[in-house]
Amino acid sequence: MTTTSAPATTGDATDGATVGHWIDGAHVPSTSGRTAPVYDPARGVVTKQVALADEREVQAAIASAKAAFPAWSELSLSKRQQIMFSFREILNRDKAELAEIITSEHGKVVSDALGEIARGQEVVELATSIPQLLKGEFSDQVSTGIDVYSIRQPLGVVGIISPFNFPAMVPLWFLPIAIAAGNTVVLKPSEKDPSAAIWLASKFTEAGLPAGVFTVLNGDKVAVDGLLTSPDVESISFVGSTPIAQYVYETGTKHGKRVQALGGAKNHMLVLPDADLDLVADNAINAGFGSAGERCMAISVVVAVEPVADELIAKIAERAATLRIGDGRRGCDMGPLVTEQHRDKVASYIEVAEQDGAVIVVDGRTVRPDGDENGFWLGPTLIDRVPTSSRVYTEEIFGPVLSVVRVESYEEGLALINGGAYGNGTAIFTNDGGAARRFQRDVQVGMIGINVPIPVPVAYYSFGGWKNSLFGDHKAYGADGVSFFTRQKAITSRWLDPSHGGINLGFPSNG
Ligand code: NAD
């Protein structure tokens, strides 16, 4: 089928439901009168509407979170910890339900949706150790009779703004640590797949989280701008495209907030001549076409150090032909793209590649999906000899389009990667430990895989890129997450002791 066949579907709601907000511990219908359609991408139909908050609803959401903060931040660590344990059990118990929701609005296959839930669950599990994570420092007798120690306190109301591509995992990168550390949260999910956030909020409520601690505010730029400018919001955690990440960072910091804004990516896989090409081809398929390439850690460029390119391309093409593209609920390997508009934009890059003289090895526009003909389909696409001046190389495509660039040496490949505007993830494939070690030291990228194609760090490390992939000083989760969601105090203390020493107008010094 072609890429332009989906019918006009806006307004064709099949079940009439409208996703509202989660405020004060319950689902609240919107009164803004503004909505956006939510699609089932595998069927190409609108299945529900999502509320788009107006200014009044934004303020109501923030006010609820603000009111909940004093009691929540005073609750003991062990009680907050118990709620995290309960939520972890509920999430694990009901994850199949959440995966169905994700697939029905995002389109990714169910096994992949379960994968994103598992990675989110890791952060919940990290947050169950919040008493350990918040431990301060103590120095005894820094001066005669004086001790110094530090404590970490929550910020207050914190905002999270998430993208469409991980409707459960990205909120869970931030939520568990923010909440366990004693903050109250307002989450603004993507308007393309808003139901996972409401599901998470309902399950946190079931786990015993008090009303107002976790609020979901559905909406668009009005809601985002409301969070960015409110004096009652202390911090913003954003994940999305680079232009919006930069806007969020600049606007939020201008309004005095702590901001971490994770942006887009263009991730390269460097293949050295000694690599196992079957392993490389398997990983290029998984990392290039998993979730239809709609992952910020997807590999979008294979940098092949000659003479391996011809053999490697043949192996990738052979595997691409075996993939089953179709409805994510039918056990397929790869689902549709999130919207018709996004599918058409991604497909337009294949035309750009043709115009720029690249070689289309596998053309996803001719895909025959196992699914409804109105779905937003585009098959795996492999493009060889992509000029590095082409928009196909320089821009984030965010779809199942894998480019190959041929280079003559490790140095040439490294220079290419380091010359890019983004620095999210990268991978090297080689059997040479020395080369891999050199790469990990030389490459200007935040997350590096060695024979690992999608090196998303585990929850107790932190996730984040360099350059245009991250604005701000804190990555997501891990130690950076704890640091971001708390403010540290240092306390210098002296209790009366027979040795205390009278009046001294000099600057305090150790003695
Ligand atoms: P997006 O930037 O379009 O939207 C992200 C969020 O910003 C959404 O909640 C959206 O409602 C809001 N938003 C959109 N336009 C806005 C505007 N003009 N003003 C204020 N708010 C606005 O991103 P997306 O399409 O949902 O997600 C895909 C992008 O996210 C890709 O670029 C991908 O690389 C990136 N991403 C990055 C990471 C990472 O960790 N670096 C992770 C996942 C996704």
Side-chain angles (χ1 to χ4, degrees), residues 161-166 170 173 188-192 219-221 224-225 228 238-242 244-245 247-248 262-265 295-296 396 398 424 447 463-465 469:
I161 300 161
S162 56
F164 81 84
N165 67 320
F166 286 110
V170 166
W173 279 355
K188 206 300 281 173
S190 167
E191 53 274 55
K192 294 192 178 83
D220 54 9
K221 183 170 166 57
V224 171
D225 286 348
L228 291 177
F238 172 91
V239 180
S241 59
T242 287
I244 310 296
Y247 166 76
V248 164
L262 286 72
R295 290 178 180 148
C296 64
E396 181 182 40
F398 219 58
N424 214 38
M447 292 172 282
F463 181 105
S469 296

Side-chain angles (χ1 to χ4, degrees), residues 59-84:
Q59 295 314 325
I62 295 171
S64 167
K66 189 179 177 189
F69 177 69
W72 178 246
S73 56
E74 282 301 314
L75 202 67
S76 72
L77 285 175
S78 66
K79 287 190 176 129
R80 285 190 235 146
Q81 181 186 35
Q82 287 310 318
I83 291 174
M84 279 301 147

Side-chain angles (χ1 to χ4, degrees), residues 48-120:
K48 59 193 85 143
Q49 300 285 321
V50 60
L52 301 178
D54 59 17
E55 184 56 30
R56 200 190 55 79
E57 288 172 315
V58 176
Q59 295 314 325
I62 295 171
S64 167
K66 189 179 177 189
F69 177 69
W72 178 246
S73 56
E74 282 301 314
L75 202 67
S76 72
L77 285 175
S78 66
K79 287 190 176 129
R80 285 190 235 146
Q81 181 186 35
Q82 287 310 318
I83 291 174
M84 279 301 147
F85 276 122
S86 300
F87 177 71
R88 189 265 175 208
E89 292 309 302
I90 293 169
L91 180 63
N92 203 38
R93 182 193 73 198
D94 294 342
K95 61 190 174 200
E97 192 182 298
L98 179 57
E100 287 287 334
I101 292 171
I102 294 170
T103 298
S104 70
E105 294 184 2
H106 176 283
K108 66 177 71 175
V109 300
V110 169
S111 57
D112 194 34
L114 284 167
E116 84 158 274
I117 295 166
R119 296 311 302 264

